[in-house]
Amino acid sequence: GAVVSQHPSRVICKSGTSVKIECRSLDFQATTMFWYRQFPKKSLMLMATSNEGSKATYEQGVEKDKFLINHASLTLSTLTVTSAHPEDSSFYICSARSPISENTEAFFGQGTRLTVV
Amino acid sequence: DAKTTQPPSMDCAEGRAANLPCNHSTISGNEYVYWYRQIHSQGPQYIIHGLKNNETNEMASLIITEDRKSSTLILPHATLRDTAVYYCIVRPPSGSARQLTFGSGTQLTVLP
């Protein structure tokens, strides 16, 4: 089946630095990808919708200047956490759905555990 | 998307069937029922989805009531590796640009 690959799987960074997370669809072209964030013992919360060739759509309360999303190709979306702070420590997950048919399942990356120290 | 209600947690003995309920009483006629699971520190994994008819695949069976207001995910022979949070989601087939909205899910613990 279709696979979504996310990299890195875990990263530790210092406060004030930026971290880039990559999300790739390996065997299908994804015009739309989604970025989620998950805090411990909580469910996934949608952060933004990444659209190939256009600006991302952010959910209410998510700072677009802090969480930069670039979807420059049909197989790659990146999320950059800028000027990271300890409260940005979380599990970040991307997903994409093959556009072949409307009711196909979404595929998720393996997630990125970000720890800001 | 229609709201779903699931029990927060369930236990199941290894080798027995795990039956996970989901209530979606406000589901619309064109909304599908999807099930995903999330093993600790991994991304969600698709399990199964359906519209009206019961569905079965290599992972599980999905039983949808005739009025479609509830469904049950059945893992026929649960193993320890099935311990995960199981999410029931309903959404319309409106194309690839619709995200999935996750509720709290059910933490299934398979006991040895």
Side-chain angles (χ1 to χ4, degrees), chain A residues 36 38 43 97 102-103 106, chain B residues 32 34 36 38 93 98 100 103:
Chain A
Y36 294 81
Q38 185 176 33
S43 189
R97 176 179 286 111
E102 289 187 334
N103 65 340
Chain B
Y32 283 73
Y34 283 79
Y36 283 79
Q38 186 179 25
R98 287 293 302 271
L100 294 173

Side-chain angles (χ1 to χ4, degrees), chain A residues 4-111:
Chain A
V4 174
S5 177
Q6 198 172 332
H7 178 80
S9 58
R10 68 177 61 233
V11 58
I12 300 173
C13 73
K14 293 183 179 180
S15 289
T17 62
S18 296
V19 174
K20 180 185 287 188
I21 303 169
E22 292 186 347
C23 181
R24 294 181 185 273
S25 56
L26 296 186
D27 55 1
F28 65 95
Q29 295 182 329
T31 55
T32 303
M33 293 185 178
F34 305 100
W35 287 96
Y36 294 81
R37 180 169 52 183
Q38 185 176 33
F39 291 106
K41 300 189 184 301
K42 300 293 185 181
S43 189
L44 284 76
M45 296 299 296
L46 181 69
M47 298 175 65
T49 301
S50 170
N51 303 297
E52 189 269 334
S54 65
K55 292 183 178 180
T57 304
Y58 290 82
E59 296 299 298
Q60 191 173 11
V62 178
E63 299 176 56
K64 63 179 182 180
D65 294 331
K66 180 169 184 60
F67 299 100
L68 300 179
I69 292 174
N70 184 280
H71 194 154
S73 77
L74 288 171
T75 58
L76 174 64
S77 175
T78 61
L79 169 68
T80 301
V81 182
T82 63
S83 187
H85 291 114
E87 56 265 32
D88 297 325
S89 298
S90 188
F91 193 52
Y92 292 86
I93 307 167
C94 69
S95 83
R97 176 179 286 111
S98 174
I100 294 174
S101 74
E102 289 187 334
N103 65 340
T104 56
E105 64 271 26
F107 296 95
F108 288 81
Q110 64 268 47

